[in-house]
Amino acid sequence: MEEQDNTAGKKLLHGTRAEAPGTKSWQSQAYTLGAISNFMSTFLTFPIYKVVFRQQIHAVAVSEAVKQLWHEGPQYFYRGIYPPLLSKTLQGTLLFGTYDSLLCFLSPVGPHSLGQRWTAGLMSGVVEAVALSPFERVQNVLQDARKQACFPSTFSILKEFNSYGLWGRLSLGYYRGFWPVLVRNSLGSALYFSFKDPIQDGLARQGLPHWVPALVSGSVNGTITCLILYPLMVLVANMQSHIGWQRMPSLWASAQDVWDTRGRKILLIYRGGSLIVLRSSVTWGLTTAIHDFLQRKAHTKKEMTD
């Protein structure tokens, strides 16, 4: 009986992947559940991210970063959370929905090849970077303790950005550090979507409960992607923490500065990486499991109505 249930689950999984992309009912549910799951995971893991951000900016140990936050007081502990809450909620609506639409455009009927998954993932990451980079920019300024006196709130930062000319608002304001964000998001999405299903399928063949392969696949993907792209995350955090009309360093100068301040050592570049890898693993594991659950539910509902 257990073997029969597992076989049925595999058929449901493959049938869902072949039919779900591009259907209106699936897309609407994916947007809603993606937004809710990303909102919750961002709120729960924000303290970890803030500690990591301090390590990326100041190159200090975990204990020192925690000590900084403790001395600033609890009123500043969740300072800067609103931009990531909004951006991650939007990310949940964009990431899977855009990927699904692009995959359907490339191949309306599955199964989809590695090249198709890579292309759709890459382009969904581009859309994500363009839409969400301004939110990350504001968040990184808010989380830098050195900016608290001059820019105590989101409104004060937006007021500063809007005081620039049109080109200044983009290059110095909302889209400061855009190119590393674009590379990070596009490659990250391509890696995630390329290997999510193969890992999940391999685990599903082991007879595990249907939610375990999705959870593990998301966690493994999140961990590997985060490890590969972590240096870009450090670069983005440092570039986007700058604000004002003063001469800002170029992309190359910023990368050189990060390399020099870390003592020209890869190990110091990855300082803070353990916590952000943990957060990425938990976040992507939950997101993938929820996505898989929604996919199964949507397919079951479609079969009942047909």
Side-chain angles (χ1 to χ4, degrees):
M1 182 67 178
E2 182 178 350
E3 184 178 351
Q4 292 176 347
D5 291 341
N6 187 44
T7 302
K10 292 176 184 176
K11 291 180 179 178
L12 176 60
L13 179 63
H14 289 289
T16 301
R17 289 177 184 167
E19 298 175 22
T23 60
K24 293 182 179 179
S25 61
W26 159 240
Q27 288 181 350
S28 62
Q29 291 182 67
Y31 292 147
T32 302
L33 191 56
I36 295 173
S37 61
N38 276 322
F39 180 95
M40 295 179 63
S41 63
T42 300
F43 184 85
L44 293 174
T45 59
F46 183 76
I48 300 176
Y49 180 84
K50 194 158 188 179
V51 172
V52 172
F53 179 82
R54 291 298 175 87
Q55 290 185 296
Q56 292 173 339
I57 292 295
H58 304 296
V60 296
V62 174
S63 58
E64 180 61 29
V66 173
K67 188 183 296 183
Q68 287 181 11
L69 295 173
W70 179 261
H71 286 315
E72 291 170 16
Q75 68 271 25
Y76 291 109
F77 198 65
Y78 271 85
R79 169 184 158 88
I81 192 174
Y82 295 112
L85 274 180
L86 182 56
S87 67
K88 291 300 182 182
T89 301
L90 290 175
Q91 182 191 41
T93 64
L94 285 175
L95 189 63
F96 288 105
T98 304
Y99 170 79
D100 179 77
S101 299
L102 291 169
L103 198 62
C104 180
F105 175 78
L106 293 172
S107 177
V109 180
H112 303 97
S113 67
L114 175 61
Q116 291 168 341
R117 297 196 304 271
W118 176 273
T119 302
L122 190 77
M123 295 308 298
S124 67
V126 171
V127 173
E128 179 188 357
V130 173
L132 303 182
S133 185
F135 295 99
E136 186 176 7
R137 166 67 160 138
V138 174
Q139 172 190 348
N140 283 336
V141 174
L142 283 171
Q143 291 184 142
D144 190 350
R146 299 168 295 186
K147 308 298 189 299
Q148 288 180 2
C150 296
F151 303 99
S153 65
T154 300
F155 177 77
S156 63
I157 297 172
L158 297 180
K159 185 177 180 180
E160 172 71 17
F161 289 167
N162 290 330
S163 68
Y164 306 159
L166 177 59
W167 177 249
R169 291 180 189 180
L170 297 176
S171 61
L172 301 178
Y174 296 105
Y175 283 93
R176 166 71 177 165
F178 174 71
W179 294 114
V181 170
L182 180 66
V183 174
R184 181 198 64 190
N185 286 18
S186 58
L187 286 181
S189 295
L191 288 169
Y192 171 77
F193 285 114
S194 293
F195 301 108
K196 175 177 70 73
D197 288 346
I199 294 175
Q200 186 173 338
D201 290 344
L203 292 171
R205 286 193 287 268
Q206 305 303 315
L208 299 171
H210 65 81
W211 58 270
V212 174
L215 182 67
V216 175
S217 174
S219 296
V220 170
N221 263 288
T223 300
I224 295 175
T225 302
C226 185
L227 285 172
I228 294 173
L229 301 178
Y230 187 76
L232 280 175
M233 298 178 189
V234 176
L235 178 60
V236 168
N238 279 270
M239 290 188 69
Q240 292 191 338
S241 65
H242 290 282
I243 189 171
W245 270 105
Q246 71 273 20
R247 181 177 179 273
M248 291 190 181
S250 64
L251 174 60
W252 173 253
S254 298
Q256 189 66 44
D257 180 63
V258 170
W259 179 245
D260 291 338
T261 56
R262 267 57 177 185
R264 297 175 173 268
K265 295 181 179 179
I266 293 294
L267 185 62
L268 292 181
I269 291 288
Y270 275 86
R271 172 169 279 178
S274 58
L275 286 178
I276 203 168
V277 166
L278 173 62
R279 188 181 77 108
S280 181
S281 176
V282 172
T283 300
W284 282 110
L286 290 174
T287 300
T288 306
I290 293 172
H291 175 269
D292 182 73
F293 170 78
L294 176 61
Q295 195 174 37
R296 289 171 177 274
K297 189 174 181 180
H299 183 73
T300 302
K301 184 177 179 180
K302 182 177 181 297
E303 283 192 331
M304 292 176 63
T305 56
D306 287 347

